[in-house]
Amino acid sequence: MSRRHIIFHGRVQGVGFRWRAAITANELGLTGWVRNLYDGTVEMEVQGSITGISYLLHNLQNDRFIEITDIESKQIPEEKHESSFRTVY
């Protein structure tokens, strides 16, 4: 089990990024959240298997509308009380 805090740079707002992330993460049984930041980046915390998180990132990077130019990612402590992945406004 792993939990990552991730910041995505590039064309990541207004292209269905949060929707795609939430649908894919929930299909994979991952938990966490995703939100747009005021500087045009997208912030995410995601928890689950390393394989699941890797697949989520691969899926986002290969979406035809999303253009990720940089990813900042770091390991953070796990959350014990999450049951799903959601979009935060």
Side-chain angles (χ1 to χ4, degrees):
M1 189 69 85
S2 178
R3 187 172 185 92
R4 308 289 306 173
H5 177 264
I6 306 169
I7 303 287
F8 298 91
H9 299 265
R11 190 181 59 181
V12 292
Q13 289 191 15
V15 292
F17 186 102
R18 292 176 299 153
W19 177 83
R20 166 71 65 202
I23 293 295
T24 305
N26 280 307
E27 287 174 353
L28 294 168
L30 303 173
T31 62
W33 52 265
V34 62
R35 69 179 170 192
N36 287 342
L37 297 179
Y38 293 108
D39 64 0
T41 61
V42 172
E43 179 182 31
M44 175 188 293
E45 284 191 11
V46 60
Q47 181 170 300
S49 71
I50 293 170
T51 303
I53 293 171
S54 294
Y55 183 82
L56 171 64
L57 297 177
H58 176 77
N59 184 276
L60 292 169
Q61 290 173 314
N62 289 295
D63 184 278
R64 65 182 178 155
F65 299 109
I66 297 168
E67 184 181 327
I68 298 169
T69 58
D70 189 35
I71 298 174
E72 299 173 45
S73 178
K74 66 179 179 179
Q75 184 77 27
I76 59 174
E78 293 177 23
E79 288 285 330
K80 303 289 186 206
H81 303 289
E82 283 181 330
S83 60
S84 66
F85 190 94
R86 67 195 190 286
T87 298
V88 178
Y89 296 96

